């Protein structure tokens, strides 16, 4: 009996012990409440902002498939990408087409143009608040009221013009227009000398022509005067002379890199092209 009494006295909590337990429970409850009501700043970091959509615009004698290796890399890095067809009919009409297409792209845009596509993005991107960066890849970057023919005359050296064939075609409203094609046997050396011939032979067969009138058409808008620009200069280019590319890039105050490449740099050096595009995207997404 004595042992049972002692056990009961040990198991029966005293008033002092009850008070202590209550105090501990109260502190625990307050701690839990403070944790559940903590401000969002102490929670997990907010998700990163969505990446801009990269819009790739090809140039003459090519199509959107010329961007394939760049597209693969951009998508791998999480960038939304679109590569609309460039009609290659004229600076004004092609720019109007691209400007209309951009209305279907939601959110910020990095606008990229190769070769003649540079003229198109310079016009189409003007005044569009969603276009955050312009990236010129071995491209024309004309000023207002300037023609591509004038730029070519000012910086001679390109051999592509002598490799072109003129092919007439009927205009919808009457009259005759002229399309330009690169001669198939000269395509590799004039356009893509650092690309395997097995590839350029197919490119030559599937090339899309450029309307000859493009070279005498004046540029009317210059997005690069208000939108940050990046430029990749190709030092072994036979389509747009490297000196011409450097002049246009400097005039546009573009962030410029150079690569030992032919005009078809998106095919021969897709990694370099991708890195420059992503640099522009990061710089303008802060």
């Amino acid at each position: 009996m004595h042992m049972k009494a002692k056990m009961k006295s040990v198991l029966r909590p005293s008033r002092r012990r009850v008070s202590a337990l209550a105090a501990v429970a109260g502190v625990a409850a307050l701690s839990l409440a403070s944790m559940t009501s903590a401000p969002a700043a102490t929670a997990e970091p907010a998700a990163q902002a969505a990446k801009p959509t990269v819009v790739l615009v090809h140039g003459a004698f090519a199509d959107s498939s010329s961007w394939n290796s760049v597209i693969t890399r951009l998508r791998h890095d999480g960038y939304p990408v679109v590569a609309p067809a460039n009609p290659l009919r004229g600076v004004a009409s092609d720019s109007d087409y691209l400007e209309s297409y951009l209305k279907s792209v939601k959110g910020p845009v990095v606008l990229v143009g190769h070769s003649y596509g540079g003229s198109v993005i310079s016009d189409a991107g003007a005044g569009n608040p969603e276009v955050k960066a312009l990236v010129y890849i071995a491209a024309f970057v004309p000023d207002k009221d300037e023609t591509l023919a004038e730029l070519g005359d000012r910086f001679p050296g390109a051999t592509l013009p002598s490799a072109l064939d003129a092919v007439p075609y009927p205009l919808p409203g009457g009259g005759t227009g002229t399309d330009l094609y690169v001669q198939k046997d000269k395509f590799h050396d004039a356009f893509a000398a650092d690309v395997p011939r097995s590839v350029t032979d197919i490119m030559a067969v599937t090339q899309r022509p450029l309307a000859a009138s493009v070279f005498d058409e004046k540029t009317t808008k210059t997005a690069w005067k208000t939108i940050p620009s990046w430029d990749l200069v190709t030092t072994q280019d036979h389509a747009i002379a490297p000196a011409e590319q450097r002049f246009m890039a400097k005039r546009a105050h573009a962030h410029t890199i150079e690569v030992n490449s032919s005009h078809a740099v998106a095919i021969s050096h897709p990694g370099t092209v991708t890195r420059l595009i992503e640099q522009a995207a990061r710089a303008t997404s802060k």
Side-chain angles (χ1 to χ4, degrees):
M1 294 295 293
H2 177 71
M3 181 60 69
K4 291 182 177 179
K6 180 178 283 190
M7 288 294 292
K8 287 182 178 179
S9 66
V10 172
L11 296 173
R12 185 185 303 119
S14 65
R15 290 183 178 179
R16 183 178 296 175
R17 188 176 296 169
V18 170
S19 298
L21 290 171
V24 172
V27 172
L30 288 172
S31 298
L32 180 60
S34 64
M35 290 173 63
T36 56
S37 61
T42 62
E44 294 183 1
Q48 294 183 349
K51 292 181 177 180
T53 297
V54 178
V55 179
L56 303 169
V57 181
H58 67 82
F61 317 118
D63 59 24
S64 293
S65 67
S66 61
W67 295 110
N68 282 357
S69 294
V70 174
I71 293 170
T72 299
R73 286 164 171 79
L74 288 170
R75 285 169 58 88
H76 177 269
D77 294 341
Y79 286 90
V81 188
V82 291
N86 184 357
L88 306 179
R89 297 296 85 194
V91 177
S93 60
D94 294 344
S95 299
D96 286 346
Y97 178 87
L98 179 59
E99 183 178 353
S100 177
Y101 179 85
L102 289 175
K103 294 177 182 178
S104 70
V105 180
K106 306 302 180 184
V109 165
V110 174
L111 195 51
V112 185
H114 172 244
S115 189
Y116 164 69
S119 298
V120 178
I121 69 170
S122 291
D123 191 307
N128 187 334
E130 295 295 347
V131 177
K132 305 302 181 182
L134 301 169
V135 183
Y136 296 93
I137 306 297
F140 288 109
V141 191
D143 202 350
K144 185 177 180 181
D145 294 329
E146 196 169 52
T147 70
L148 303 187
E150 290 171 351
L151 283 166
D153 291 341
R154 188 173 177 181
F155 297 93
T159 60
L160 180 64
S162 63
L164 299 178
D165 276 338
V167 178
Y169 67 93
L171 295 171
T176 302
T178 302
D179 264 343
L180 298 176
Y181 288 85
V182 183
Q183 297 169 25
K184 294 181 181 65
D185 61 337
K186 297 180 180 179
F187 192 97
H188 175 268
D189 292 346
F191 194 83
D194 56 351
V195 177
R197 286 188 180 274
S198 59
V199 176
T200 59
D201 285 349
I202 301 299
M203 293 172 63
V205 170
T206 61
Q207 64 177 291
R208 292 185 54 210
L210 178 72
S213 57
V214 161
F215 289 99
D216 295 318
E217 188 175 352
K218 291 186 176 182
T219 300
T220 60
K221 299 176 184 177
T222 48
W224 51 265
K225 290 188 176 181
T226 56
I227 300 174
S229 301
W230 279 255
D231 199 302
L232 188 152
V233 173
T234 40
T235 61
Q236 299 300 315
D237 200 314
H238 297 157
I240 305 177
E244 181 179 348
Q245 293 184 47
R246 293 187 185 105
F247 165 76
M248 293 184 290
K250 183 177 180 180
R251 182 175 62 180
H253 303 289
H255 306 275
T256 305
I257 65 170
E258 296 193 359
V259 61
N260 186 27
S261 173
S262 72
H263 193 60
V265 63
I267 298 173
S268 59
H269 294 82
T272 301
V273 172
T274 302
R275 285 191 291 273
L276 185 64
I277 294 170
E278 293 186 356
Q279 178 185 332
R282 290 191 299 270
T284 53
S285 297
K286 298 177 180 178

